[in-house]
Amino acid sequence: YSAVRQYSPGDYIATFISFLGVATPDFLLALVLLVFTLKYMDMSIGGLFSEQFQNAPWSMARVADLLKHMWIPMIILGTNGIGGMVRHLRANLLDELEKPYVTTARAKGQSERRLLLRYPTRVALIPWVSTVGWSLAGLVSGSTIVATILNLPITGPLLLTALLSEDMYLAGSFILMLSVLTVIGTLVSDILLAAVDPRIRLEG
């Protein structure tokens, strides 16, 4: 949308939000949202559950409490990634839309929607698809600093605790697991690249 409607009000809004997401550190956004929710919404969103649901059996009320605590980490961790993706995809798509094959396809009567999705968008996605697999390890470990600030019991703070206490076995196990996930993510990226770009094929 931002690339196709360049310099439109929607483009300016998307650009502003993406710049804000890229420029704002995750830990700062976490602190701001913590203060905001506590001061103006009278709600503490630290941890995954409220105190009364910490050790309670699973129920609809506990699931609702979990969702109430999860929206802050989702916004914090998603803002930076989405902002970067918007900037990269917009720049790549703007370059592709100026190329001769797009003009030729339009001259042949190709509909704008079909043209956009079939050719330039697939090419513009290649740089993003080539690195999307690296986020697989990040999905497991999360942002260690954000998880520490929000008191989230995930693997990132556990790895930090293992490093600080010099527990080399636990830390080494985590690093090995993250390394394996990075390799798997790279394989997934390669497979997605072959699906997005028909020019990429296995040879030999």
mmCIF file of all heavy atoms in Angstrom, residues 125-169:
data_model
loop_
_atom_site.group_PDB
_atom_site.id
_atom_site.type_symbol
_atom_site.label_atom_id
_atom_site.label_comp_id
_atom_site.label_asym_id
_atom_site.label_seq_id
_atom_site.Cartn_x
_atom_site.Cartn_y
_atom_site.Cartn_z
ATOM 1 N N LEU A 125 10.010 -9.124 -2.353
ATOM 2 C CA LEU A 125 10.016 -9.924 -1.126
ATOM 3 C C LEU A 125 11.306 -10.720 -0.937
ATOM 4 O O LEU A 125 11.573 -11.197 0.167
ATOM 5 C CB LEU A 125 8.831 -10.896 -1.131
ATOM 6 C CG LEU A 125 7.475 -10.349 -0.686
ATOM 7 C CD1 LEU A 125 6.390 -11.375 -0.949
ATOM 8 C CD2 LEU A 125 7.500 -9.966 0.774
ATOM 9 N N ILE A 126 12.106 -10.865 -1.985
ATOM 10 C CA ILE A 126 13.281 -11.745 -1.915
ATOM 11 C C ILE A 126 14.245 -11.366 -0.793
ATOM 12 O O ILE A 126 14.650 -12.234 -0.002
ATOM 13 C CB ILE A 126 13.991 -11.794 -3.283
ATOM 14 C CG1 ILE A 126 13.119 -12.548 -4.285
ATOM 15 C CG2 ILE A 126 15.357 -12.457 -3.177
ATOM 16 C CD1 ILE A 126 13.650 -12.533 -5.701
ATOM 17 N N PRO A 127 14.660 -10.086 -0.633
ATOM 18 C CA PRO A 127 15.582 -9.762 0.470
ATOM 19 C C PRO A 127 15.005 -10.071 1.844
ATOM 20 O O PRO A 127 15.726 -10.495 2.754
ATOM 21 C CB PRO A 127 15.842 -8.260 0.295
ATOM 22 C CG PRO A 127 15.521 -7.986 -1.134
ATOM 23 C CD PRO A 127 14.411 -8.919 -1.483
ATOM 24 N N TRP A 128 13.682 -9.860 2.000
ATOM 25 C CA TRP A 128 13.060 -10.140 3.293
ATOM 26 C C TRP A 128 12.942 -11.636 3.540
ATOM 27 O O TRP A 128 13.240 -12.119 4.631
ATOM 28 C CB TRP A 128 11.682 -9.483 3.349
ATOM 29 C CG TRP A 128 10.972 -9.750 4.634
ATOM 30 C CD1 TRP A 128 11.239 -9.193 5.847
ATOM 31 C CD2 TRP A 128 9.892 -10.662 4.850
ATOM 32 N NE1 TRP A 128 10.387 -9.693 6.800
ATOM 33 C CE2 TRP A 128 9.556 -10.598 6.221
ATOM 34 C CE3 TRP A 128 9.180 -11.515 4.015
ATOM 35 C CZ2 TRP A 128 8.529 -11.358 6.762
ATOM 36 C CZ3 TRP A 128 8.166 -12.268 4.565
ATOM 37 C CH2 TRP A 128 7.846 -12.194 5.913
ATOM 38 N N VAL A 129 12.532 -12.383 2.520
ATOM 39 C CA VAL A 129 12.392 -13.835 2.669
ATOM 40 C C VAL A 129 13.740 -14.487 2.963
ATOM 41 O O VAL A 129 13.822 -15.462 3.718
ATOM 42 C CB VAL A 129 11.762 -14.439 1.390
ATOM 43 C CG1 VAL A 129 11.828 -15.958 1.400
ATOM 44 C CG2 VAL A 129 10.306 -13.993 1.263
ATOM 45 N N SER A 130 14.823 -13.941 2.399
ATOM 46 C CA SER A 130 16.143 -14.543 2.590
ATOM 47 C C SER A 130 16.616 -14.458 4.037
ATOM 48 O O SER A 130 17.509 -15.201 4.439
ATOM 49 C CB SER A 130 17.165 -13.870 1.672
ATOM 50 O OG SER A 130 17.319 -12.510 2.021
ATOM 51 N N THR A 131 16.032 -13.561 4.832
ATOM 52 C CA THR A 131 16.463 -13.417 6.234
ATOM 53 C C THR A 131 15.359 -13.744 7.236
ATOM 54 O O THR A 131 15.612 -13.713 8.441
ATOM 55 C CB THR A 131 16.950 -11.975 6.493
ATOM 56 O OG1 THR A 131 15.899 -11.051 6.188
ATOM 57 C CG2 THR A 131 18.159 -11.651 5.628
ATOM 58 N N VAL A 132 14.146 -14.041 6.762
ATOM 59 C CA VAL A 132 13.041 -14.263 7.700
ATOM 60 C C VAL A 132 13.277 -15.505 8.554
ATOM 61 O O VAL A 132 12.817 -15.588 9.703
ATOM 62 C CB VAL A 132 11.699 -14.368 6.937
ATOM 63 C CG1 VAL A 132 11.620 -15.657 6.123
ATOM 64 C CG2 VAL A 132 10.524 -14.277 7.887
ATOM 65 N N GLY A 133 14.008 -16.489 8.030
ATOM 66 C CA GLY A 133 14.265 -17.699 8.796
ATOM 67 C C GLY A 133 15.109 -17.471 10.030
ATOM 68 O O GLY A 133 15.056 -18.261 10.983
ATOM 69 N N TRP A 134 15.886 -16.388 10.031
ATOM 70 C CA TRP A 134 16.725 -16.104 11.202
ATOM 71 C C TRP A 134 15.907 -15.749 12.430
ATOM 72 O O TRP A 134 16.397 -15.803 13.543
ATOM 73 C CB TRP A 134 17.691 -14.966 10.880
ATOM 74 C CG TRP A 134 18.639 -15.287 9.759
ATOM 75 C CD1 TRP A 134 18.862 -16.520 9.193
ATOM 76 C CD2 TRP A 134 19.477 -14.377 9.046
ATOM 77 N NE1 TRP A 134 19.782 -16.428 8.169
ATOM 78 C CE2 TRP A 134 20.184 -15.126 8.055
ATOM 79 C CE3 TRP A 134 19.708 -13.014 9.133
ATOM 80 C CZ2 TRP A 134 21.098 -14.545 7.192
ATOM 81 C CZ3 TRP A 134 20.615 -12.437 8.260
ATOM 82 C CH2 TRP A 134 21.307 -13.189 7.306
ATOM 83 N N SER A 135 14.659 -15.345 12.207
ATOM 84 C CA SER A 135 13.809 -14.967 13.334
ATOM 85 C C SER A 135 13.290 -16.182 14.091
ATOM 86 O O SER A 135 12.684 -16.027 15.149
ATOM 87 C CB SER A 135 12.630 -14.123 12.849
ATOM 88 O OG SER A 135 11.833 -14.868 11.943
ATOM 89 N N LEU A 136 13.520 -17.390 13.562
ATOM 90 C CA LEU A 136 13.030 -18.594 14.243
ATOM 91 C C LEU A 136 13.659 -18.722 15.626
ATOM 92 O O LEU A 136 12.976 -19.042 16.602
ATOM 93 C CB LEU A 136 13.339 -19.833 13.394
ATOM 94 C CG LEU A 136 12.800 -21.164 13.909
ATOM 95 C CD1 LEU A 136 11.284 -21.116 14.027
ATOM 96 C CD2 LEU A 136 13.215 -22.308 12.993
ATOM 97 N N ALA A 137 14.970 -18.475 15.716
ATOM 98 C CA ALA A 137 15.632 -18.518 17.024
ATOM 99 C C ALA A 137 15.108 -17.409 17.930
ATOM 100 O O ALA A 137 14.939 -17.610 19.142
ATOM 101 C CB ALA A 137 17.136 -18.393 16.846
ATOM 102 N N GLY A 138 14.814 -16.253 17.348
ATOM 103 C CA GLY A 138 14.293 -15.156 18.155
ATOM 104 C C GLY A 138 12.906 -15.418 18.706
ATOM 105 O O GLY A 138 12.549 -14.933 19.777
ATOM 106 N N LEU A 139 12.104 -16.226 17.981
ATOM 107 C CA LEU A 139 10.777 -16.572 18.483
ATOM 108 C C LEU A 139 10.860 -17.397 19.758
ATOM 109 O O LEU A 139 9.994 -17.318 20.622
ATOM 110 C CB LEU A 139 10.007 -17.356 17.412
ATOM 111 C CG LEU A 139 9.569 -16.576 16.176
ATOM 112 C CD1 LEU A 139 8.947 -17.521 15.159
ATOM 113 C CD2 LEU A 139 8.599 -15.474 16.543
ATOM 114 N N VAL A 140 11.931 -18.218 19.866
ATOM 115 C CA VAL A 140 12.091 -19.058 21.050
ATOM 116 C C VAL A 140 12.718 -18.274 22.195
ATOM 117 O O VAL A 140 12.263 -18.328 23.330
ATOM 118 C CB VAL A 140 12.941 -20.301 20.714
ATOM 119 C CG1 VAL A 140 13.215 -21.122 21.961
ATOM 120 C CG2 VAL A 140 12.231 -21.143 19.672
ATOM 121 N N SER A 141 13.781 -17.532 21.888
ATOM 122 C CA SER A 141 14.494 -16.822 22.949
ATOM 123 C C SER A 141 13.814 -15.515 23.330
ATOM 124 O O SER A 141 13.882 -15.083 24.479
ATOM 125 C CB SER A 141 15.931 -16.534 22.516
ATOM 126 O OG SER A 141 15.954 -15.670 21.401
ATOM 127 N N GLY A 142 13.125 -14.872 22.348
ATOM 128 C CA GLY A 142 12.514 -13.583 22.620
ATOM 129 C C GLY A 142 13.573 -12.523 22.842
ATOM 130 O O GLY A 142 14.762 -12.757 22.720
ATOM 131 N N SER A 143 13.132 -11.319 23.152
ATOM 132 C CA SER A 143 14.053 -10.237 23.491
ATOM 133 C C SER A 143 14.373 -10.327 24.973
ATOM 134 O O SER A 143 13.496 -10.145 25.819
ATOM 135 C CB SER A 143 13.434 -8.881 23.153
ATOM 136 O OG SER A 143 14.286 -7.848 23.563
ATOM 137 N N THR A 144 15.631 -10.610 25.292
ATOM 138 C CA THR A 144 16.021 -10.847 26.682
ATOM 139 C C THR A 144 15.770 -9.621 27.546
ATOM 140 O O THR A 144 15.243 -9.727 28.667
ATOM 141 C CB THR A 144 17.511 -11.243 26.753
ATOM 142 O OG1 THR A 144 17.712 -12.404 25.947
ATOM 143 C CG2 THR A 144 17.935 -11.531 28.184
ATOM 144 N N ILE A 145 16.120 -8.441 27.040
ATOM 145 C CA ILE A 145 15.958 -7.221 27.836
ATOM 146 C C ILE A 145 14.477 -6.931 28.075
ATOM 147 O O ILE A 145 14.066 -6.622 29.197
ATOM 148 C CB ILE A 145 16.644 -6.035 27.129
ATOM 149 C CG1 ILE A 145 18.144 -6.296 26.990
ATOM 150 C CG2 ILE A 145 16.403 -4.739 27.884
ATOM 151 C CD1 ILE A 145 18.904 -5.232 26.248
ATOM 152 N N VAL A 146 13.662 -7.040 27.017
ATOM 153 C CA VAL A 146 12.227 -6.791 27.161
ATOM 154 C C VAL A 146 11.597 -7.805 28.108
ATOM 155 O O VAL A 146 10.776 -7.454 28.959
ATOM 156 C CB VAL A 146 11.540 -6.837 25.781
ATOM 157 C CG1 VAL A 146 10.027 -6.769 25.924
ATOM 158 C CG2 VAL A 146 12.033 -5.694 24.911
ATOM 159 N N ALA A 147 11.994 -9.074 27.973
ATOM 160 C CA ALA A 147 11.438 -10.110 28.846
ATOM 161 C C ALA A 147 11.832 -9.874 30.300
ATOM 162 O O ALA A 147 11.047 -10.136 31.213
ATOM 163 C CB ALA A 147 11.933 -11.487 28.390
ATOM 164 N N THR A 148 13.035 -9.364 30.528
ATOM 165 C CA THR A 148 13.473 -9.064 31.898
ATOM 166 C C THR A 148 12.676 -7.900 32.470
ATOM 167 O O THR A 148 12.244 -7.937 33.633
ATOM 168 C CB THR A 148 14.979 -8.746 31.918
ATOM 169 O OG1 THR A 148 15.707 -9.850 31.366
ATOM 170 C CG2 THR A 148 15.457 -8.483 33.338
ATOM 171 N N ILE A 149 12.459 -6.849 31.653
ATOM 172 C CA ILE A 149 11.700 -5.684 32.118
ATOM 173 C C ILE A 149 10.263 -6.067 32.432
ATOM 174 O O ILE A 149 9.698 -5.661 33.456
ATOM 175 C CB ILE A 149 11.743 -4.563 31.061
ATOM 176 C CG1 ILE A 149 13.164 -3.999 30.952
ATOM 177 C CG2 ILE A 149 10.759 -3.449 31.400
ATOM 178 C CD1 ILE A 149 13.348 -3.000 29.834
ATOM 179 N N LEU A 150 9.667 -6.886 31.567
ATOM 180 C CA LEU A 150 8.262 -7.274 31.740
ATOM 181 C C LEU A 150 8.085 -8.497 32.629
ATOM 182 O O LEU A 150 6.958 -8.962 32.819
ATOM 183 C CB LEU A 150 7.625 -7.544 30.373
ATOM 184 C CG LEU A 150 7.536 -6.353 29.415
ATOM 185 C CD1 LEU A 150 6.915 -6.778 28.094
ATOM 186 C CD2 LEU A 150 6.740 -5.209 30.034
ATOM 187 N N ASN A 151 9.188 -9.037 33.137
ATOM 188 C CA ASN A 151 9.143 -10.204 34.028
ATOM 189 C C ASN A 151 8.453 -11.394 33.355
ATOM 190 O O ASN A 151 7.591 -12.055 33.935
ATOM 191 C CB ASN A 151 8.427 -9.847 35.339
ATOM 192 C CG ASN A 151 8.613 -10.912 36.411
ATOM 193 O OD1 ASN A 151 9.624 -11.621 36.437
ATOM 194 N ND2 ASN A 151 7.641 -11.028 37.298
ATOM 195 N N LEU A 152 8.864 -11.665 32.109
ATOM 196 C CA LEU A 152 8.283 -12.778 31.367
ATOM 197 C C LEU A 152 9.135 -14.029 31.578
ATOM 198 O O LEU A 152 10.340 -14.005 31.329
ATOM 199 C CB LEU A 152 8.220 -12.452 29.875
ATOM 200 C CG LEU A 152 7.373 -11.240 29.485
ATOM 201 C CD1 LEU A 152 7.488 -10.983 27.995
ATOM 202 C CD2 LEU A 152 5.926 -11.439 29.890
ATOM 203 N N PRO A 153 8.531 -15.128 32.019
ATOM 204 C CA PRO A 153 9.303 -16.357 32.280
ATOM 205 C C PRO A 153 9.571 -17.140 30.995
ATOM 206 O O PRO A 153 9.042 -18.237 30.776
ATOM 207 C CB PRO A 153 8.400 -17.131 33.234
ATOM 208 C CG PRO A 153 7.013 -16.715 32.856
ATOM 209 C CD PRO A 153 7.117 -15.288 32.393
ATOM 210 N N ILE A 154 10.399 -16.581 30.094
ATOM 211 C CA ILE A 154 10.738 -17.269 28.856
ATOM 212 C C ILE A 154 12.230 -17.591 28.872
ATOM 213 O O ILE A 154 12.927 -17.343 29.851
ATOM 214 C CB ILE A 154 10.345 -16.435 27.624
ATOM 215 C CG1 ILE A 154 11.058 -15.079 27.636
ATOM 216 C CG2 ILE A 154 8.844 -16.225 27.570
ATOM 217 C CD1 ILE A 154 10.785 -14.237 26.423
ATOM 218 N N THR A 155 12.726 -18.149 27.770
ATOM 219 C CA THR A 155 14.093 -18.684 27.771
ATOM 220 C C THR A 155 15.164 -17.603 27.761
ATOM 221 O O THR A 155 16.287 -17.854 28.168
ATOM 222 C CB THR A 155 14.294 -19.598 26.546
ATOM 223 O OG1 THR A 155 13.993 -18.856 25.350
ATOM 224 C CG2 THR A 155 13.400 -20.813 26.633
ATOM 225 N N GLY A 156 14.847 -16.389 27.265
ATOM 226 C CA GLY A 156 15.847 -15.329 27.216
ATOM 227 C C GLY A 156 16.412 -14.980 28.579
ATOM 228 O O GLY A 156 17.636 -15.030 28.786
ATOM 229 N N PRO A 157 15.566 -14.612 29.564
ATOM 230 C CA PRO A 157 16.094 -14.338 30.905
ATOM 231 C C PRO A 157 16.766 -15.547 31.545
ATOM 232 O O PRO A 157 17.722 -15.396 32.324
ATOM 233 C CB PRO A 157 14.829 -13.934 31.691
ATOM 234 C CG PRO A 157 13.893 -13.426 30.664
ATOM 235 C CD PRO A 157 14.145 -14.259 29.445
ATOM 236 N N LEU A 158 16.299 -16.762 31.242
ATOM 237 C CA LEU A 158 16.937 -17.954 31.786
ATOM 238 C C LEU A 158 18.359 -18.107 31.259
ATOM 239 O O LEU A 158 19.281 -18.460 31.998
ATOM 240 C CB LEU A 158 16.106 -19.185 31.434
ATOM 241 C CG LEU A 158 16.523 -20.515 32.080
ATOM 242 C CD1 LEU A 158 16.486 -20.410 33.591
ATOM 243 C CD2 LEU A 158 15.627 -21.642 31.602
ATOM 244 N N LEU A 159 18.558 -17.805 29.974
ATOM 245 C CA LEU A 159 19.903 -17.833 29.399
ATOM 246 C C LEU A 159 20.781 -16.771 30.044
ATOM 247 O O LEU A 159 21.952 -17.021 30.348
ATOM 248 C CB LEU A 159 19.828 -17.626 27.885
ATOM 249 C CG LEU A 159 21.158 -17.483 27.143
ATOM 250 C CD1 LEU A 159 22.037 -18.724 27.348
ATOM 251 C CD2 LEU A 159 20.936 -17.233 25.659
ATOM 252 N N LEU A 160 20.227 -15.579 30.259
ATOM 253 C CA LEU A 160 20.992 -14.508 30.915
ATOM 254 C C LEU A 160 21.393 -14.911 32.327
ATOM 255 O O LEU A 160 22.542 -14.697 32.737
ATOM 256 C CB LEU A 160 20.157 -13.224 30.946
ATOM 257 C CG LEU A 160 20.791 -12.022 31.648
ATOM 258 C CD1 LEU A 160 22.077 -11.604 30.946
ATOM 259 C CD2 LEU A 160 19.808 -10.852 31.713
ATOM 260 N N THR A 161 20.471 -15.535 33.061
ATOM 261 C CA THR A 161 20.788 -16.000 34.417
ATOM 262 C C THR A 161 21.874 -17.057 34.392
ATOM 263 O O THR A 161 22.785 -17.062 35.228
ATOM 264 C CB THR A 161 19.520 -16.565 35.079
ATOM 265 O OG1 THR A 161 18.507 -15.565 35.091
ATOM 266 C CG2 THR A 161 19.809 -17.004 36.507
ATOM 267 N N ALA A 162 21.821 -17.971 33.422
ATOM 268 C CA ALA A 162 22.843 -19.007 33.299
ATOM 269 C C ALA A 162 24.211 -18.406 33.001
ATOM 270 O O ALA A 162 25.234 -18.845 33.541
ATOM 271 C CB ALA A 162 22.453 -20.000 32.205
ATOM 272 N N LEU A 163 24.249 -17.373 32.163
ATOM 273 C CA LEU A 163 25.526 -16.723 31.850
ATOM 274 C C LEU A 163 26.081 -15.983 33.063
ATOM 275 O O LEU A 163 27.288 -16.028 33.336
ATOM 276 C CB LEU A 163 25.352 -15.764 30.672
ATOM 277 C CG LEU A 163 25.048 -16.412 29.318
ATOM 278 C CD1 LEU A 163 24.695 -15.352 28.279
ATOM 279 C CD2 LEU A 163 26.244 -17.230 28.837
ATOM 280 N N LEU A 164 25.200 -15.292 33.800
ATOM 281 C CA LEU A 164 25.659 -14.541 34.965
ATOM 282 C C LEU A 164 26.143 -15.463 36.080
ATOM 283 O O LEU A 164 27.077 -15.126 36.811
ATOM 284 C CB LEU A 164 24.529 -13.636 35.482
ATOM 285 C CG LEU A 164 24.130 -12.472 34.568
ATOM 286 C CD1 LEU A 164 22.929 -11.727 35.134
ATOM 287 C CD2 LEU A 164 25.305 -11.512 34.379
ATOM 288 N N SER A 165 25.507 -16.633 36.205
ATOM 289 C CA SER A 165 25.913 -17.587 37.241
ATOM 290 C C SER A 165 26.990 -18.552 36.758
ATOM 291 O O SER A 165 27.371 -19.471 37.485
ATOM 292 C CB SER A 165 24.689 -18.371 37.728
ATOM 293 O OG SER A 165 24.131 -19.117 36.670
ATOM 294 N N GLU A 166 27.448 -18.356 35.512
ATOM 295 C CA GLU A 166 28.501 -19.176 34.909
ATOM 296 C C GLU A 166 28.123 -20.662 34.851
ATOM 297 O O GLU A 166 28.962 -21.536 35.040
ATOM 298 C CB GLU A 166 29.833 -18.990 35.654
ATOM 299 C CG GLU A 166 30.344 -17.559 35.617
ATOM 300 C CD GLU A 166 31.675 -17.399 36.308
ATOM 301 O OE1 GLU A 166 32.229 -18.403 36.788
ATOM 302 O OE2 GLU A 166 32.157 -16.257 36.380
ATOM 303 N N ASP A 167 26.832 -20.899 34.606
ATOM 304 C CA ASP A 167 26.354 -22.270 34.408
ATOM 305 C C ASP A 167 26.579 -22.629 32.936
ATOM 306 O O ASP A 167 25.718 -22.433 32.087
ATOM 307 C CB ASP A 167 24.873 -22.372 34.768
ATOM 308 C CG ASP A 167 24.361 -23.803 34.741
ATOM 309 O OD1 ASP A 167 25.085 -24.685 34.235
ATOM 310 O OD2 ASP A 167 23.235 -24.029 35.217
ATOM 311 N N MET A 168 27.793 -23.149 32.642
ATOM 312 C CA MET A 168 28.172 -23.344 31.240
ATOM 313 C C MET A 168 27.364 -24.436 30.569
ATOM 314 O O MET A 168 27.149 -24.404 29.353
ATOM 315 C CB MET A 168 29.666 -23.665 31.149
ATOM 316 C CG MET A 168 30.090 -24.926 31.830
ATOM 317 S SD MET A 168 31.831 -25.218 31.564
ATOM 318 C CE MET A 168 32.320 -25.778 33.178
ATOM 319 N N TYR A 169 26.863 -25.396 31.320
ATOM 320 C CA TYR A 169 26.108 -26.486 30.714
ATOM 321 C C TYR A 169 24.743 -25.992 30.230
ATOM 322 O O TYR A 169 24.310 -26.293 29.109
ATOM 323 C CB TYR A 169 25.946 -27.635 31.702
ATOM 324 C CG TYR A 169 27.268 -28.225 32.126
ATOM 325 C CD1 TYR A 169 27.771 -28.000 33.408
ATOM 326 C CD2 TYR A 169 28.031 -28.992 31.241
ATOM 327 C CE1 TYR A 169 28.986 -28.532 33.804
ATOM 328 C CE2 TYR A 169 29.251 -29.526 31.624
ATOM 329 C CZ TYR A 169 29.726 -29.294 32.908
ATOM 330 O OH TYR A 169 30.934 -29.807 33.283
#
